[in-house]
Amino acid sequence: MSDFGFTLLDAQDLYLFNEGSHLRLWEKLGSHLARVDGVEGASFAVWAPNAERVSVIGDWNGWNAAAHPLRTLQHSGIWAGFVPGVSRGARYKYRIEGRNGFRADKTDPFAFHCEVSPDTAGLVWPLDYEWRDQEWMATRRGRNAREAPISIYELHVGSWRRVPQEGYRSLSYRELADVLPEYVAAQGFTHVELMPVMEHPFFGSWGYQTTGYFAPASRYGTPQDFMALVDALHRASVGVILDWVPSHFATDAHGLGYFDGTHLYEHGDPRQGFHPDWKSFVFNYGRHEVRSFLLSSALYWLERYHADGLRVDAVASMLYLDYSRRPGEWVPNEYGGRENLDSIGFLRRLNAEVYRHHPDVQTYAEESTSWPMVSRPIDQGGLGFGFKWDMGWMHDSLEYLAHDPVHRKYHHGNLTFRMLYAWTENFVLPLSHDEVVHLKKSLVSKLPGDAWAKLANLRLLLGYQLTQPGKKLVFMGGELAQWAEWNHDGELDWRLLEHATHRGVQRWLRDLNTVYRAEPALHARDCEPSGFEWVDCNDARHSTLAWLRRGGNPEGTVLVVANFTPVPRSRFRVGVPAAGWWREILNGDAELYGGSGVGNLGGVQAEPVPCHGRSHSLKLTVPPLALVAFKLE
């Protein structure tokens, strides 16, 4: 029989929750193993303010709703109780009965662990784990800083690698922990970004249709297994960014939607509470308790799972009330505008709390419009994110490179336009999963020419990305020059590495990451105009670009020259800011990368010949469809 006198919540918890200011709800709501008067069991608490009756049902009571009813706590809308005899791993749900005959068995919104889909019960589960990443945690502030090199490997847990001997299943978190950290570190990446690992019933949603905002997907293992993966990555000096989706949630009947017979988590007006593109519910950001729920979820992953950052998905859909809606399908704000004021307030509060509690992490916004000051401080009118994805760079670059080289001179502005806005935000340059699905083709397959030219163009794209100002992100498979689109039901085409040309692309990206991390000129001023200077951005006729990257030390200045045509450029003169020996530190046409071997024999001595408004210049050989970089020594 339940002991209704025990609960983890006190009056202050209830006040903060209803006010929208409770940031640690995972410690209070949901299921927690406990001992009451010497009796082992579990406490349960769930928010269902419009329910008339709530019971916890599970293995121990035969799913009998009459066995363990919960009681309401004051006027908070929370139902709670203690059930003796419940142990770790017990399956449970909440039977919620409401007005007009509503009755539903709901998964606990605060469940730490759930059954493997298609089963939907929560599991009573503690979060005990002995972390071994103390060195990383003590130093990660510098590794996540705006001035630090940040090169991110985006990864979908279920399709990176599979086990063909066992029905082609995905690797578990523990199996990934044995192989992924070594691979990512060897490739020179500083961070991984995991597509949403939060519990989601439909595998094909890639995690973006979330049901469990406090549970890692159980199809890959337990919460402790996921902690072990993060731990292993940290011990390999690799940071972990988690994709997090507060923009919308799945409509599955066992989830958050219509939770207590009313629109509780979602906005009640379908013009505001239902997303037409994704057929999902949209959170009611104006509701205090919903804000407490989402803020607690964000801080939970940072604290309990030691995440180094959160990438917030689909921010544009949160900012605009008319996002993907026709006239008459949306409701203006109180001033008659299209801005979602509740969502804007939530995002600012989110970033304020994240950086207040965890100043050594970063938040990343996937925001695809020209909304101003996404990554600027809140007190200056910004949204407060640490970084913003530069979707414009991605689209312009891919559009340019998709043209046959003979036509690229007519589209030169696609490459130079970015520098008109490059310093308005702290940018990440993404080559993400969104660009290699839904018949968009893989990166290398988008590019023109025969197989050699396609691979050369891909090396050129990757070199261009790694030497432009901004942090970097590459989706898995890009390093293999995978010909096929990403398929979440398969794995990366690792067999491509049997071919020297594909190993060459992988080696090129590894060396790019290595040079990017080693040279302050290529990362320290990624977000400052002083870190970049055009040498020549006007050579549309030859489809070449030349620019300087600076990191504060003049001797470390890096010159980058890119040739977007298959025609080698010999005796190609480029102005430089100083006399001396300019060592060639990158050459995408080197034979070990699969190139033709055209280069500058290790470097070039600057000559006192004026060019591009500078007193000295280099006479270079610029290889075809390739990027070369030189460092002043």
Side-chain angles (χ1 to χ4, degrees):
M1 179 174 181
S2 297
D3 179 354
F4 295 144
F6 176 80
T7 175
L8 297 176
L9 294 118
D10 58 25
Q12 180 73 357
D13 291 317
L14 303 183
Y15 173 80
L16 292 175
F17 172 59
N18 293 137
E19 185 192 51
S21 298
H22 204 305
L23 306 178
R24 305 180 67 83
L25 287 176
W26 72 87
E27 296 178 342
K28 306 293 183 175
L29 294 177
S31 64
H32 297 270
L33 294 173
R35 179 195 293 263
V36 177
D37 297 331
V39 178
E40 302 286 348
S43 70
F44 295 90
V46 62
W47 180 49
N50 301 299
E52 295 183 345
R53 177 184 172 90
V54 178
S55 304
V56 60
I57 56 178
D59 290 329
W60 65 88
N61 63 17
W63 304 90
N64 178 8
H68 295 108
L70 304 178
R71 69 179 180 90
T72 57
L73 301 182
Q74 299 177 9
H75 301 292
S76 66
I78 294 175
W79 299 70
F82 173 78
V83 180
V86 177
S87 58
R88 177 184 181 129
R91 299 182 302 152
Y92 73 101
K93 285 189 176 184
Y94 296 114
R95 170 71 55 79
I96 299 178
E97 300 175 46
R99 303 161 194 164
N100 302 318
F102 175 82
R103 191 177 84 166
D105 293 344
K106 290 287 191 175
T107 303
D108 188 350
F110 288 87
F112 297 147
H113 192 25
C114 295
E115 290 185 290
V116 178
S117 181
D119 296 320
T120 57
L123 302 177
V124 178
W125 205 266
L127 295 175
D128 52 311
Y129 181 79
E130 186 176 344
W131 288 91
R132 295 186 290 159
D133 63 348
Q134 291 79 10
E135 181 180 350
W136 170 270
M137 296 296 285
T139 60
R140 73 174 180 174
R141 184 164 191 162
R143 301 170 188 262
N144 290 328
R146 196 179 68 164
E147 301 77 20
I150 297 179
S151 182
I152 304 165
Y153 186 64
E154 187 189 20
L155 180 136
H156 178 253
V157 169
S159 57
W160 183 67
R161 185 170 290 174
R162 289 179 175 251
V163 185
Q165 301 87 346
E166 299 179 25
Y168 216 55
R169 66 169 177 82
S170 301
L171 296 184
S172 69
Y173 295 129
R174 295 275 182 176
E175 290 170 326
L176 275 170
D178 290 335
V179 293
L180 181 62
E182 180 181 1
Y183 178 81
V184 174
Q187 280 298 115
F189 290 99
T190 64
H191 293 70
V192 295
E193 180 187 306
L194 302 179
M195 292 167 67
V197 297
M198 296 76 189
E199 193 62 71
H200 51 284
F202 177 46
F203 184 68
S205 79
W206 314 330
Y208 292 102
Q209 294 274 9
T210 304
T211 52
Y213 279 79
F214 293 83
S218 55
R219 54 175 59 89
Y220 310 119
T222 68
Q224 286 75 14
D225 294 336
F226 183 59
M227 291 175 185
L229 172 59
V230 176
D231 204 358
L233 285 162
H234 282 174
R235 286 184 281 115
S237 296
V238 176
V240 179
I241 301 164
L242 299 182
D243 217 337
W244 184 64
V245 190
S247 51
H248 63 118
F249 62 91
T251 59
D252 296 65
H254 66 278
L256 299 175
Y258 212 59
F259 191 79
D260 63 355
T262 68
H263 296 288
L264 192 61
Y265 288 89
E266 70 273 19
H267 203 289
D269 189 327
R271 295 173 297 174
Q272 297 171 273
F274 186 77
H275 200 292
D277 283 352
W278 304 314
K279 304 296 186 288
S280 53
F281 287 132
V282 178
F283 284 105
N284 184 353
Y285 304 104
R287 188 155 195 167
H288 301 318
E289 296 86 352
V290 172
R291 291 199 302 274
S292 285
F293 172 80
L294 289 172
L295 293 171
S296 292
S297 172
L299 293 174
Y300 168 80
W301 295 101
L302 296 171
E303 180 167 322
R304 297 311 303 253
Y305 288 91
H306 289 198
D308 301 289
L310 297 174
R311 179 265 196 184
V312 180
D313 180 62
V315 170
S317 74
M318 301 174 68
L319 294 175
Y320 299 97
L321 293 165
D322 62 345
Y323 183 90
S324 196
R325 289 177 169 85
R326 295 188 294 267
E329 296 180 345
W330 59 283
V331 181
N333 63 34
E334 60 188 285
Y335 303 106
R338 59 197 286 254
E339 299 81 11
N340 189 331
L341 302 180
D342 288 335
S343 178
I344 294 166
F346 164 72
L347 290 171
R348 286 174 170 160
R349 178 72 182 278
L350 165 71
N351 286 309
E353 298 296 351
V354 165
Y355 287 112
R356 180 164 71 93
H357 291 275
H358 299 281
D360 53 354
V361 307
Q362 293 286 5
T363 57
Y364 301 78
E366 188 227 4
E367 203 286 309
S368 55
T369 74
S370 57
W371 187 280
M373 303 179 70
V374 171
S375 58
R376 292 294 180 259
I378 297 165
D379 60 7
Q380 296 177 15
L383 293 181
F385 283 93
F387 290 95
K388 171 183 170 172
W389 277 22
D390 190 346
M391 313 291 278
W393 172 86
M394 177 176 67
H395 291 133
D396 288 349
S397 299
L398 293 177
E399 182 181 272
Y400 175 86
L401 283 163
H403 290 291
D404 187 283
V406 72
H407 300 302
R408 287 176 178 171
K409 61 186 176 182
Y410 303 112
H411 305 276
H412 199 68
N414 280 38
L415 298 183
T416 59
F417 174 73
R418 178 181 185 250
M419 287 308 153
L420 297 179
Y421 68 84
W423 321 114
T424 60
E425 303 278 2
N426 302 328
F427 279 121
V428 174
L429 309 183
L431 294 171
S432 75
H433 69 276
D434 281 327
E435 302 311 305
V436 294
V437 290
H438 303 319
L439 303 180
K440 294 179 184 176
K441 301 181 181 180
S442 69
L443 285 181
V444 70
S445 296
K446 296 175 189 287
L447 304 173
D450 58 15
W452 186 93
K454 286 178 179 291
L455 291 169
N457 274 301
L458 178 60
R459 294 194 304 272
L460 178 54
L461 169 63
L462 294 171
Y464 176 63
Q465 178 196 32
L466 266 289
T467 55
Q468 282 281 296
K471 308 310 178 187
K472 328 297 177 186
L473 179 141
V474 175
F475 182 57
M476 65 180 197
E479 79 278 19
L480 307 181
Q482 184 162 301
W483 294 107
E485 276 192 342
W486 169 53
N487 175 11
H488 63 266
D489 288 322
E491 68 170 353
L492 298 188
D493 193 356
W494 296 102
R495 293 172 299 176
L496 289 172
L497 293 179
E498 297 171 7
H499 304 281
T501 51
H502 290 268
R503 290 197 305 273
V505 174
Q506 185 188 49
R507 170 70 181 270
W508 170 239
L509 184 52
R510 185 191 77 185
D511 290 351
L512 282 170
N513 276 328
T514 300
V515 172
Y516 167 68
R517 296 173 67 169
E519 299 297 337
L522 294 178
H523 63 253
R525 295 183 178 178
D526 266 337
C527 305
E528 301 173 23
S530 61
F532 176 89
E533 182 183 348
W534 283 121
V535 174
D536 186 3
C537 62
N538 297 312
D539 188 17
R541 185 166 67 94
H542 296 109
S543 297
T544 69
L545 288 173
W547 63 92
L548 295 170
R549 295 298 311 277
R550 304 179 189 273
N553 182 355
E555 287 74 29
T557 298
V558 171
L559 168 72
V560 184
V561 183
N563 178 8
F564 292 90
T565 74
V567 180
R569 307 291 177 186
S570 59
R571 305 175 64 84
F572 191 82
R573 193 165 291 279
V574 177
V576 290
W581 176 255
W582 290 76
R583 180 168 60 91
E584 189 176 72
I585 58 174
L586 288 170
N587 184 339
D589 193 51
E591 291 181 357
L592 78 163
Y593 305 133
S596 58
V598 174
N600 294 275
L601 301 176
V604 180
Q605 184 72 34
E607 300 175 349
V609 178
C611 186
H612 296 129
R614 294 168 172 83
S615 60
H616 288 72
S617 59
L618 307 180
K619 188 165 62 178
L620 302 176
T621 298
V622 185
L625 294 176
L627 174 146
V628 287
F630 303 84
K631 178 183 177 182
L632 174 61
E633 294 188 344

